[in-house]
Amino acid sequence: MDSALFVRPADYADAVDAAAIVMLLDAYASDPAGGGEPLSTYTKDHLVASLAARPQAFSILAFDGQTPVGLVNCIEGFSTFKCKPLINVHDVAVLASHRGRGIAALMLAEAERIGRARGAVKMTLEVLSGNAPAMKLYRRIGYEGYQLDPSMGTAQFMQKWL
């Protein structure tokens, strides 16, 4: 890994970090893995303040020198079975120019460090089945399909727009 690369928690009150979060999430949303459509003006204008208003949210930024190149957004949830927090990794984004350099793994390790500090019992994330590089990374760093009783199969991520 390049010595100029580093990761750190984002400061939602810092204008540079706020701009980096919006730029990186917009790049991810515009990528086929993120849906292929840029963020709306509303989202760009309100995202960071909305994250900052939620104490359960935190973000990790990756930099190559002074250039932001990666983002992980996390939301603390709750495991009712364990009666403890969990961390949902909601977005993992690395600029195309910097993929394959271990940046996502570094950001996820920092998210895990923060999760442990918060007393979380597990990390969760969702990934598109066609995103083979992400699937390979997640498996390599310890993520696996969610199941309780193997005879019931693995969980499927579903959504319903409101």
Side-chain angles (χ1 to χ4, degrees):
M1 182 184 51
D2 190 322
S3 62
L5 293 173
F6 67 95
V7 300
R8 64 170 173 75
D11 178 353
Y12 295 139
D14 180 87
V16 172
D17 284 9
I21 290 167
V22 172
M23 180 274 292
L24 291 162
L25 192 63
D26 188 50
Y28 174 46
S30 298
D31 188 89
E37 293 188 22
L39 298 176
S40 69
T41 300
Y42 174 86
T43 299
K44 289 178 184 178
D45 291 345
H46 295 91
L47 175 64
V48 177
S50 294
L51 287 169
R54 289 164 173 74
Q56 70 274 26
F58 65 93
S59 301
I60 308 299
L61 287 168
F63 293 87
D64 184 354
Q66 296 300 310
T67 305
V69 297
L71 169 69
V72 166
N73 286 319
C74 297
I75 310 291
E76 183 181 306
F78 189 74
S79 170
T80 54
F81 284 11
K82 299 293 183 181
C83 194
K84 293 191 177 191
L86 61 83
I87 302 298
N88 177 258
V89 178
H90 194 71
D91 303 298
V92 178
V94 176
L95 293 180
S97 60
H98 284 71
R99 291 179 187 154
R101 295 171 61 181
I103 295 169
L106 283 174
M107 292 188 297
L108 289 167
E110 180 65 5
E112 183 175 329
R113 184 193 67 75
I114 292 169
R116 288 181 190 281
R118 289 180 173 215
V121 295
K122 70 177 176 177
M123 306 272 293
T124 63
L125 58 78
E126 64 224 35
V127 59
L128 297 173
S129 60
N131 191 343
M135 295 282 281
K136 182 178 177 183
L137 166 67
Y138 300 148
R139 285 190 179 109
R140 183 173 55 79
I141 63 174
Y143 287 82
E144 56 190 34
Y146 175 78
Q147 65 180 13
L148 297 171
D149 179 337
S151 70
M152 294 298 295
T154 58
Q156 301 296 309
F157 181 76
M158 299 175 75
Q159 72 177 12
K160 179 180 179 180
W161 290 106
L162 302 178

